[in-house]
Amino acid sequence: MTLSIPRRTVAVAALALAGLLGSAAPAATAGPAASAGPAAALAAPDIPLANVKAHLTQLQSIASANGGNRAHGRAGYKASLDYVKAKLDAAGFTTSVQQFTSSGATGYNLIADWPGGDPNQVLMAGAHLDSVSSGAGINDNGSGSAAVLETALAVSRAQLNPTKHLRFGWWGAEELGLVGSKYYVNNLPSAERSKFSGYLNFDMIGSPNPGYFVYDDDPAIEKTFKDFYAGLNVPTEIETEGDGRSDHASFKNVGIPVGGLFTGASRTKSAAQAQKWGGTSGQAFDRCYHSSCDNTSNINDTALDRNSDAVAHAIWTLGTEPTVPPGDAYENTADVSVPDNGTAVTSTVTVTGRTGNAPAALKAGVDIKHTWRGDLVIDLVAPDGSAYRLKNSSGNDSADNVVATYTVDASSETANGAWKLRVQDVAAQDTGYIDSWKLTF
Ligand code: TRP
Ligand code: ZN
Ligand code: CA
């Protein structure tokens, strides 16, 4: 059977005039639109270990004055929160206390916002502030609470002007099952959830027989911590002692990119780990985990010092890097000719500076000049090579040009990387070129 499809005159003249036929322009990539803030991330200050330890001394005193613990529903918890809040208020943070009920007792989260930064890109660091009832909880989790507090105070001392909006959180009732952080996340309107560029969790970061563990979650956050430790020449391992056992799980469950640090709980340090980190093999990372001896003696100063500096490094690096406001586009305006009835051609845009995955409603705006658009098959190709069909060919779609915006569920794709528009002309005679295309996040 012979297909006879009416074809209109090829607009060779116009294309030739534009100097486009036969010239596959290099796929240069235009960057995102200019945004506020520094051109590169700023270097973090050293966090004074003495300041972090002074907070631990205060938390120990609070526990000692309140029956030996800082547990949910006990006086020592609220006193801990009041201590942290007073420091933040004096330093210029906007604080709020969120109440919830768990096991018949009132629980509290403390949220502290540093004024400024892009309100549509929130970077949050948090730690649980409650202990178990059997002890003062100085490593679990005075350590994370104190490091996050001292980093927030360092933000104030530096009067940091971040690109992202910085928020700090201290969670109640983590030891009852991540209750406070779940409450916080569940009560975020969905429009607020989508503004989080990341959540960083610090739970047990000064274990007395420490390991150096980095959460294996969002790649950009993980890399930030690994880079810090590479700079110290200290090897790290991926955290495996119970993924989902701390407050980052609450954020991860709603699709927020997460990361964090950990120095180990009741698991035993291996000979290989003692070899590279020092300490005692065959012994738990924290022999006082969830017991009465988790007091100010239950801290390794070197681990607490390094990890406190790592918290600041992550806040400074991720919080001051140039950002692309949501809605901004990555565009390639270089022309690429599409050979008639030939092989596929591509045009690339390189996405940088984002954390986590692409949105569920990624917009691919396509502008292809062509004299018979039915000839064209168009795919969006993600950085890992997976293809999303935007348009099939059609024998009877005789209109000119493809000027359209396609919505793609790209939520399983890492946002950063080289995205390609792949265009193939699958029928003879009519021709055209990619004029421009863009991805809008
Ligand atoms: N949050 C846990 C607790 O308090 C401690 C813990 C165990 C942990 N495994 C972890 C914290 C892994 C962070 C990551 O009981
Ligand atoms: Zn803990
Ligand atoms: Ca053709």
Side-chain angles (χ1 to χ4, degrees):
M1 179 178 117
T2 307
L3 273 180
S4 171
I5 300 165
R7 312 199 69 103
R8 292 171 309 124
T9 314
V10 182
V12 176
L15 288 168
L17 201 67
L20 298 161
L21 276 180
S23 69
T29 302
S35 59
L42 301 173
D46 181 76
I47 299 297
L49 175 65
N51 293 11
V52 181
K53 292 195 75 174
H55 300 314
L56 294 182
T57 300
Q58 292 302 315
L59 293 176
Q60 177 70 60
S61 300
I62 287 167
S64 301
N66 290 282
N69 69 67
R70 302 181 301 102
H72 168 71
R74 310 288 185 91
Y77 181 74
K78 185 58 165 43
S80 300
L81 185 138
D82 291 343
Y83 169 77
V84 175
K85 183 176 183 297
K87 296 279 179 196
L88 295 162
D89 286 337
F93 283 84
T94 305
T95 60
S96 67
V97 176
Q98 183 179 43
Q99 287 195 23
F100 56 89
T101 303
S102 182
S103 301
T106 302
Y108 308 88
N109 293 326
L110 173 62
I111 308 298
D113 283 90
W114 180 242
D118 182 346
N120 291 314
Q121 295 200 66
V122 177
L123 176 65
M124 186 170 198
H128 75 85
L129 187 56
D130 65 315
S131 70
V132 291
S133 55
S134 48
I138 297 303
N139 185 36
D140 182 13
N141 184 34
S143 62
S145 295
V148 172
L149 172 58
E150 194 55 30
T151 296
L153 298 179
V155 165
S156 169
R157 286 192 291 269
Q159 287 293 301
L160 190 65
N161 183 17
T163 48
K164 292 181 185 151
H165 178 75
L166 302 182
R167 184 173 297 159
F168 300 88
W170 288 263
W171 311 118
E174 186 270 355
E175 300 289 5
L176 280 66
L178 321 182
V179 176
S181 58
K182 275 183 198 162
Y183 185 86
Y184 175 76
V185 166
N186 289 341
N187 286 281
L188 280 173
S190 65
E192 292 303 309
R193 278 182 201 171
S194 63
K195 293 176 182 172
F196 277 81
S197 81
Y199 170 73
L200 314 178
N201 194 62
F202 304 98
D203 184 0
M204 304 182 71
I205 59 168
S207 302
N209 185 28
Y212 293 91
F213 299 103
V214 178
Y215 299 2
D216 178 20
D217 268 290
D218 179 71
I221 297 172
E222 185 183 341
K223 181 178 187 303
T224 304
F225 289 125
K226 285 181 169 173
D227 286 351
F228 173 82
Y229 270 99
L232 293 184
N233 255 307
V234 173
T236 60
E237 289 184 14
I238 296 304
E239 189 285 302
T240 58
E241 195 176 351
D243 204 14
R245 277 181 64 185
S246 191
D247 298 297
H248 58 294
S250 306
F251 289 79
K252 185 177 172 155
N253 283 342
V254 297
I256 293 170
V258 303
L261 298 173
F262 179 56
T263 49
S266 52
R267 195 177 275 181
T268 303
K269 183 180 271 189
S270 72
Q273 288 170 328
Q275 186 72 37
K276 62 176 158 184
W277 290 324
T280 311
S281 69
Q283 201 176 87
F285 294 106
D286 182 357
R287 285 194 289 176
C288 292
Y289 175 61
H290 284 187
S291 47
S292 59
C293 58
D294 187 6
N295 54 35
T296 45
S297 304
N298 192 42
I299 288 289
N300 179 284
D301 284 358
T302 302
L304 185 64
D305 191 16
R306 288 170 174 168
N307 279 331
S308 299
D309 290 342
V311 177
H313 173 79
I315 290 295
W316 257 257
T317 303
L318 298 169
T320 70
E321 68 187 358
T323 61
V324 182
D328 262 21
Y330 299 80
E331 185 169 28
N332 188 339
T333 57
D335 296 338
V336 179
S337 71
V338 181
D340 187 25
N341 198 15
T343 54
V345 295
T346 62
S347 171
T348 304
V349 299
T350 302
V351 175
T352 57
R354 306 198 75 91
T355 51
N357 283 4
L362 178 65
K363 300 260 188 298
V366 174
D367 185 348
I368 299 174
K369 302 299 193 286
H370 199 276
T371 52
W372 185 285
R373 50 176 279 149
D375 289 3
L376 297 174
V377 178
I378 308 174
D379 291 298
L380 174 67
V381 184
D384 72 352
S386 27
Y388 295 82
R389 178 59 46 90
L390 303 181
K391 178 195 168 303
N392 280 308
S393 60
S394 157
N396 48 35
D397 183 2
S398 65
D400 281 350
N401 306 335
V402 179
V403 182
T405 298
Y406 300 95
T407 301
V408 175
D409 180 354
S411 58
S412 68
E413 305 292 343
T414 301
N416 282 342
W419 293 76
K420 291 181 163 60
L421 186 72
R422 186 169 67 200
V423 182
Q424 186 170 16
D425 180 318
V426 298
Q429 196 175 340
D430 287 86
T431 62
Y433 64 100
I434 303 171
D435 193 335
S436 68
W437 76 285
K438 66 180 176 188
L439 280 178
T440 305
F441 280 75

